[in-house]
Amino acid sequence: MTDQPITYASAGVDVHAGDRAVELMKESVRRATRPEVLGGLGGFAGMFDASALKGMRHPVLASSTDGVGTKVAIAQAMDVHDTIGQDLVGMVVDDIVVSGAEPLFMTDYIACGKVVPERIAAIVSGIARGCELAGVALVGGETAEHPGLLDPDEYDVAGAATGVVERDEVLGPHRVREGDVVLALASSGLHSNGYSLVRRVFAAAGWEWDRHVEELGRTLGEECLEPTRIYTRPLLEVVRADLGLHALSHVTGGGLAANLARVLPVGVLATVERSWTPPAVFGLVQELGRVPLGDLEQTLNMGVGFVAVLAPEGVDRAVQLLAGHGIEAWVVGSVTGPDAARPDAPVVQGAKGVDGGAVQMVGSYPAS
């Protein structure tokens, strides 16, 4: 038996710090709301008035959950915590919009070795900012202190969101046709995938996060912490414009080809031309790490964060609408029959358990 009483605080959990963190994040969370939200921060469950769905013919709920992977290690190393939350929101809500659904509300989970109220509030401020950008309500969350499992300065974040779409308006492989156009939407950079590779490459090269990189026009850390672009509102505008949009693909883990294949029907081929110049950071990763192109494309987004598959007649208007939101979009390919595959390039078919269509990436990226 110990000579001294053991308290929760002496075991490493500070409930008062948790309360202080909640007070600091209240203003941020208050901005990330919708009219349907009931109650406020601090309840056991977030509540959302679903009576608005009564006006829908056949509402279908869509749900997604995700984290941001090892990108949090860079945020911790740089002691910059107010951007990682936007990454979390983007990874979650932009999976939901792939089906054509509108994300409605989100919850988050932060696990940390020690609750530092200002740090937790900074993380949540980024989550709230992302929710504002997506038009999503942040209805609740949890901060868990795990002393002994995580170091005092370590944390991880995760989140989940729910959206809704009319059943007869769900996007996906069943809508895709031969002759459809493949439209690429520019990413804001690395987004939140492949950071195990990125970190390994720069560590092997001896590059520190505060190193100024001429090709990037800023420090390496600033480039790598660039928040994930959130496409939800711009893409919902394209969905509602009735432009013959048939499928969407969020380019995350697996890269462009594998994620596009997931939203194509069996028996078609999408040929994607490497017609764009990826941002400089992708070339740096490839050059410093001598990373094979195939591995690079299977890991990173290469400057394309989303792909849309739509009828040719809707392309110009879609590009115009996206440009109005500051998102560059360009045609990279088309959908054909499988016989159009070229013999000089690999074909990607089936990914993450989906028996989908085929994608072939051809050509070479233009020099920067």
Side-chain angles (χ1 to χ4, degrees):
M1 294 178 63
T2 178
D3 293 335
Q4 298 296 326
I6 297 176
T7 65
Y8 207 13
S10 68
V13 177
D14 187 345
V15 294
H16 299 296
D19 291 342
R20 171 65 177 155
V22 171
E23 287 299 319
L24 291 175
M25 69 178 71
K26 274 186 175 180
E27 185 56 38
S28 295
V29 175
R30 191 176 292 117
R31 294 195 298 269
T33 190
R34 291 172 56 117
E36 301 93 341
V37 174
L38 303 176
L41 193 66
F44 282 89
M47 293 188 291
F48 190 91
D49 185 355
S51 64
L53 308 187
K54 287 181 173 181
M56 300 180 69
R57 301 182 307 277
H58 191 153
V60 174
L61 297 179
S63 179
S64 178
T65 186
D66 211 339
V68 298
T70 62
K71 187 171 184 175
V72 296
I74 302 175
Q76 291 161 18
M78 295 184 63
D79 196 24
V80 175
H81 311 286
D82 61 351
T83 61
I84 205 76
Q86 181 173 324
D87 292 292
L88 176 64
V89 176
M91 297 302 291
V92 173
V93 300
D94 281 340
D95 275 359
I96 288 176
V97 81
V98 164
S99 63
E102 177 185 0
L104 301 173
F105 56 86
M106 181 169 177
T107 57
D108 65 75
Y109 177 80
I110 304 170
C112 60
K114 176 181 175 62
V115 170
V116 178
E118 292 76 14
R119 183 164 61 207
I120 298 300
I123 297 169
V124 174
S125 73
I127 297 173
R129 187 182 309 114
C131 286
E132 285 184 85
L133 291 171
V136 175
L138 183 59
V139 296
E142 171 71 7
T143 300
E145 199 167 20
H146 292 164
L149 183 62
L150 296 170
D151 288 338
D153 290 330
E154 289 183 334
Y155 63 81
D156 198 9
V157 294
T162 299
V164 66
V165 60
E166 292 280 9
R167 183 167 183 173
D168 60 1
E169 295 176 3
V170 173
L171 302 178
H174 61 288
R175 293 180 177 269
V176 176
R177 301 289 183 267
E178 290 187 27
D180 281 351
V181 172
V182 180
L183 190 70
L185 282 64
S187 71
S188 58
L190 292 165
H191 283 187
S192 299
N193 292 102
Y195 275 81
S196 294
L197 172 65
V198 170
R199 290 167 52 243
R200 177 68 179 272
V201 166
F202 289 127
W207 286 26
E208 301 291 341
W209 299 118
D210 60 358
R211 178 189 181 115
H212 183 83
V213 181
E214 193 64 34
E215 298 95 320
L216 304 176
R218 52 182 169 177
T219 68
L220 180 62
E222 289 169 339
E223 176 71 26
C224 289
L225 282 187
E226 179 68 33
T228 300
R229 172 167 277 160
I230 295 179
Y231 299 87
T232 300
R233 276 179 161 162
L235 283 175
L236 287 174
E237 185 174 342
V238 174
V239 168
R240 292 162 181 163
D242 194 21
L243 302 178
L245 179 62
H246 295 153
L248 291 168
S249 178
H250 191 189
V251 182
T252 55
L256 194 160
N259 282 291
L260 177 55
R262 295 168 67 188
V263 300
L264 299 178
V266 175
V268 306
L269 170 75
T271 302
V272 175
E273 297 273 356
R274 297 185 181 95
S275 57
W276 71 97
T277 301
V281 66
F282 298 98
L284 282 174
V285 172
Q286 183 178 27
E287 180 183 352
L288 290 174
R290 299 173 62 189
V291 182
L293 178 61
D295 199 72
L296 200 71
E297 290 184 330
Q298 291 172 23
T299 308
L300 305 177
N301 68 57
M302 302 303 290
V304 176
F306 237 95
V307 177
V309 181
L310 69 167
E313 57 270 20
V315 171
D316 289 345
R317 180 58 178 154
V319 170
Q320 183 181 42
L321 288 175
L322 292 166
H325 291 275
I327 299 174
E328 182 184 4
W330 63 96
V331 173
V332 291
S334 60
V335 177
T336 62
D339 294 339
R342 304 185 191 181
D344 59 341
V347 174
V348 175
Q349 185 167 14
K352 299 192 178 181
V354 177
D355 186 18
V359 177
Q360 187 174 46
M361 297 189 66
V362 299
S364 300
Y365 294 112
S368 56

